[in-house]
Amino acid sequence: MSRRSRPLVAALALSCGAVPPVRAAPEPPLSALILTGPERTLFSASRDACDGADVPDAPARAFRDASGGIALYGLHYRNRALRGPDFEHLRIDCRVVLDSGEKPDPALYDDRSWITATWTEDGTNVAALLHHEYQANEHEGRCRSKVYMECWYNTITAAASRDGGLHFSRAAPPAVVAAPPFRQEEGQGRHRGFFNPSNIFGEGRYRYFLAPTTGWDRPGSDQAAGVCLFRTERPDEPASWRAWTGTGFTAAFPDPYRRTFKIAETCKPVAPFPAPVGAVVRHRGSGAWIAVFMAAKGGAFAESGFYWSTSRDLLVWDVPRLLIAGATLYDDPCRAGARLIAYPSLLDPGAKGRNFDDVGEGAFLTFATLRLEGCTITSDRDLVRRPVAIKVWP
């Protein structure tokens, strides 16, 4: 098969992640992801919810607990899990594993939190990354605007479980993995911070995740908007995560309420991702990385829908290709029809790792479907899956 030409991705407004100058960038592998079956519903909010908070609202994350059972997360900010002996028999567990305090003090990092990534070595001790939203428009006197996105201050925080994900707790003071180098009062009028981390995935002694940042202008340390790659050897130590700068994993983004910044190091965004990455998995046969994500029509994306890309080193990625066409959360719901699709992830029930960060020749594409009523996105949502055949050429 001949190598396709590689068009420019400037339309994505993301700069391509570089590699150290001592070696050439490896060419991404050729790959094919092909849907091989229809949708099957794993969870329906209208049928299965414990209360009104149980709606699919994040990409599905799963691990095998110490007993060999599956725990899967991906619902709302009153966090619950789906559990079962395998992926065919998952049912919601109505116990809340982590609630959101909706507290008005931004320094507490306990407004609204979603479990968006987990990692466990033994199925008992589990580290989690939280997508934390401080919605200042909901707290009197905290934002000069009442518009949600003009007040939205986002951080990635951490929680931990010592009982296989039955309960998660936050540290005191809060454990901040990635925050902008300023407090929520600064830069109001637009969305700010780090948000929607991918799953945690591993290679050797390192663990990684990808997370977008809105970027910011700051004397001496302007941060470009885009998707940052983070790495650590200890996911159970939240302060140990560092982002890729273009020359190494050295950029830290700690709690601005407990540290004063003068000039902060910045991350170098990794192309071609226009927004959050749903999941990254390693193909067992080739060692290639596969990322899935959603995108709206425009620029390098001919249609709205779910896309995939592949890489050999997590820094240089192939031109994205369409996996499923459909209106996403990034599209105008008034023109989308009956539903939106969102939050793609790849899960292989036969994964060799406990954290489902590897795939073989097939996997399930899991995602949420969101029913629309006119221009309104409703809470009538399903978590569904479709089988996918995977081929990667050396």
Side-chain angles (χ1 to χ4, degrees), residues 193-281:
F194 290 92
F195 55 104
N196 291 95
S198 74
N199 60 312
I200 299 172
F201 48 97
E203 179 186 30
R205 70 180 191 271
Y206 293 117
R207 309 292 176 252
Y208 299 86
F209 72 86
L210 288 160
T213 178
T214 58
W216 53 79
D217 298 326
R218 198 167 183 83
S221 61
D222 288 352
Q223 173 64 63
V227 174
C228 298
L229 177 64
F230 287 79
R231 187 181 79 177
T232 186
E233 293 185 51
R234 292 295 306 272
D236 57 335
E237 295 181 1
S240 68
W241 289 99
R242 296 291 184 271
W244 174 252
T245 65
T247 58
F249 289 90
T250 56
F253 299 96
D255 182 355
Y257 286 89
R258 289 164 181 82
R259 176 175 170 181
T260 301
F261 289 86
K262 293 183 179 179
I263 297 178
E265 201 167 10
T266 58
C267 86
K268 185 171 182 62
V270 176
F273 307 114
V277 176
V280 179
V281 291

Side-chain angles (χ1 to χ4, degrees), residues 166-179:
L166 293 174
H167 306 87
F168 285 87
S169 59
R170 301 176 180 87
V176 175
V177 173

Side-chain angles (χ1 to χ4, degrees), residues 15-21 23 25 244-248 268-271 313 315-316:
S15 58
C16 184
V19 297
R23 61 185 177 90
W244 174 252
T245 65
T247 58
K268 185 171 182 62
V270 176
D313 66 354
L315 298 174
V316 179

